[in-house]
Amino acid sequence: KGAVRMSKKKTIVKKLDSVESFGSMNVFCTDKTGTLTEDKIVLEKYLDIHGDEDIGVLEDAFLNSYHQTGLDGNIDKAVISRALENGLDHLKDDYAVVDEIPFDFTRRMLSVIVTDKSSHLKMITKGAVEEILNICTKVSYKDEISNITPEIKKNIKKISTDLNKDGLRVVAVCQKNDIRNDAVFDISSEKDMVLIGFIGFLDPPKESAKIAIEKLNNYGIRVIVLTGDNADVTRCICNKVNINSKKIVLGNDIDKLSDQAVLRLLRKANIFAKLSPIQKARIVRLLKDDGNIVGFMGDGINDSPSLINSDVGISVDTAVDIAKESADIILLEKD
């Protein structure tokens, strides 16, 4: 009866016994991107290392996004869309892809190696700002390349943090030109790179999120945010939907802690950021082990372990296939 009633509200219950878990749920964990936010990611800014607009950064980001063959993420779609608006579609013919080092959640970056018509090779990498800074030894500004200094690094982090505080997700872009034609490309190739700038994306919170979280809290259900995004963007979005963001715990902090210590943190903190898929799943497991009935909502490839680990996994119709496959309940409306 519960499943039939929910189907009339555009909600598919795949596993009938999850209706009972859903009714008993006292902790609701949610991913941020695409669940709390609209998931209509728009590329707002393409900036050089001093925070000024630079079309060259968009060009390299476009070559990286257009030629990568992994999962077609929203960030890549937003980059391609903005580049085409700016008349950069000629780059499709000017460069051909040679190789690729795919994205993974440990490195948090993706590289493509492209060649121009004169067989000159170029490696372009985009990824999380901190991780990209770790592989860069030089910076490029107005076509001049110089060594990266602690002062430059500090300024880059400040620009990135300021953008994050405004709710923009920031991705850094770097490149390397001195590549031999006979080189073999793997993760070890991602070093001694030249940082060229950033791209910033806006993904506003859903209008319905704030009301839904209020209702959940009124029903005595605690809402916890588990996201792979960084702390500043997460804080900005959580403030807008009325989730207490005083304490934010990062993924690398919980790796060093025992299960008991993480449980103590879980009693005080509602937001966990910069999490890998395994760290998300660990938090869900610990909440269950502590006697809670745990719901988890997510729509990305990195949410699958948590959807399986939870008592009731909730996803949306527009989610990636593995998330829908792992979920117990699917919402047909992105609400």
Side-chain angles (χ1 to χ4, degrees):
K1 275 178 78 177
V4 170
R5 283 179 65 186
M6 285 172 78
S7 70
K8 287 172 185 166
K9 292 182 180 280
K10 297 192 176 177
T11 304
I12 303 299
V13 180
K14 279 171 61 190
K15 295 175 189 160
L16 290 181
D17 57 356
S18 66
V19 172
E20 188 179 349
S21 304
F22 188 57
S24 314
M25 178 174 74
N26 68 311
V27 176
F28 178 62
C29 299
T30 174
D31 177 38
K32 178 183 70 68
T33 309
T35 44
L36 288 182
T37 63
E38 289 282 0
D39 210 13
K40 289 178 186 159
I41 294 180
V42 179
L43 200 166
E44 288 278 318
K45 296 183 185 290
Y46 38 95
L47 308 173
D48 64 23
I49 60 157
H50 291 296
D52 301 317
E53 195 165 286
D54 183 353
I55 195 76
V57 177
L58 183 58
E59 287 174 358
D60 274 359
F62 172 70
L63 287 171
N64 178 291
S65 291
Y66 181 73
H67 288 296
Q68 68 94 19
T69 59
L71 195 74
D72 215 7
N74 288 338
I75 279 181
D76 291 310
K77 285 176 186 165
V79 170
I80 292 165
S81 168
R82 187 64 190 264
L84 296 180
E85 278 171 31
N86 284 48
L88 299 181
D89 47 343
H90 63 89
L91 291 172
K92 295 178 190 174
D93 303 318
D94 294 348
Y95 288 87
V97 67
V98 173
D99 207 346
E100 174 182 7
I101 308 164
F103 179 85
D104 67 53
F105 290 100
T106 309
R107 284 164 41 250
R108 294 162 64 84
M109 63 183 78
L110 181 154
S111 299
V112 295
I113 297 88
V114 293
T115 178
D116 60 16
K117 286 175 180 169
S118 56
S119 302
H120 178 79
L121 287 180
K122 175 156 96 164
M123 179 161 137
I124 305 166
T125 305
K126 73 174 188 312
V129 175
E130 264 176 57
E131 282 74 359
I132 292 289
L133 273 177
N134 289 340
I135 61 166
C136 288
T137 52
K138 291 181 165 55
V139 291
S140 173
Y141 180 61
K142 295 194 172 167
D143 294 331
E144 277 189 29
I145 292 171
S146 55
N147 287 330
I148 204 162
T149 63
E151 196 54 46
I152 289 172
K153 250 186 191 180
K154 192 178 168 187
N155 188 46
I156 285 163
K157 284 181 181 172
K158 185 188 179 304
I159 294 167
S160 170
T161 304
D162 288 347
L163 291 168
N164 288 159
K165 284 176 180 169
D166 289 338
L168 269 79
R169 295 173 68 185
V170 180
V171 170
V173 183
C174 62
Q175 56 157 282
K176 183 160 63 172
N177 281 307
D178 50 343
I179 300 171
R180 295 195 331 270
N181 277 2
D182 59 347
V184 176
F185 301 105
D186 57 23
I187 292 166
S188 64
S189 312
E190 293 172 330
K191 63 179 182 188
D192 302 327
M193 307 279 290
V194 180
L195 181 74
I196 58 162
F198 320 94
I199 41 180
F201 303 86
L202 205 54
D203 185 15
K206 285 194 179 93
E207 282 183 30
S208 57
K210 190 175 178 180
I211 302 153
I213 286 158
E214 246 169 59
K215 280 185 179 177
L216 285 164
N217 288 337
N218 290 340
Y219 280 123
I221 296 166
R222 184 180 167 203
V223 178
I224 297 176
V225 176
L226 308 178
T227 178
D229 217 336
N230 76 38
D232 289 315
V233 180
T234 305
R235 180 177 279 113
C236 179
I237 296 293
C238 288
N239 286 342
K240 287 178 181 173
V241 296
N242 274 4
I243 293 175
N244 183 345
S245 64
K246 274 184 191 151
K247 187 169 178 62
I248 296 182
V249 181
L250 299 180
N252 54 9
D253 296 337
I254 66 168
D255 269 349
K256 305 161 195 160
L257 300 175
S258 67
D259 284 359
Q260 275 311 109
V262 176
L263 270 173
R264 278 198 293 277
L265 274 179
L266 276 161
R267 289 181 190 125
K268 299 174 202 160
N270 291 322
I271 304 172
F272 291 77
K274 255 199 157 181
L275 297 176
S276 70
I278 300 307
Q279 289 164 341
K280 279 188 186 186
R282 181 188 179 200
I283 289 170
V284 170
R285 174 181 61 78
L286 288 173
L287 285 164
K288 271 176 67 177
D289 291 350
D290 202 34
N292 298 292
I293 306 290
V294 183
F296 180 87
M297 183 171 176
D299 65 349
I301 194 165
N302 56 335
D303 295 318
S304 182
S306 301
L307 287 163
I308 292 166
N309 262 16
S310 62
D311 292 295
V312 53
I314 304 160
S315 196
V316 288
D317 191 35
T318 49
V320 297
D321 288 347
I322 192 165
K324 288 195 281 189
E325 198 64 41
S326 310
D328 306 307
I329 292 174
I330 294 176
L331 309 180
L332 298 180
E333 278 188 0
K334 261 207 154 188
D335 184 339

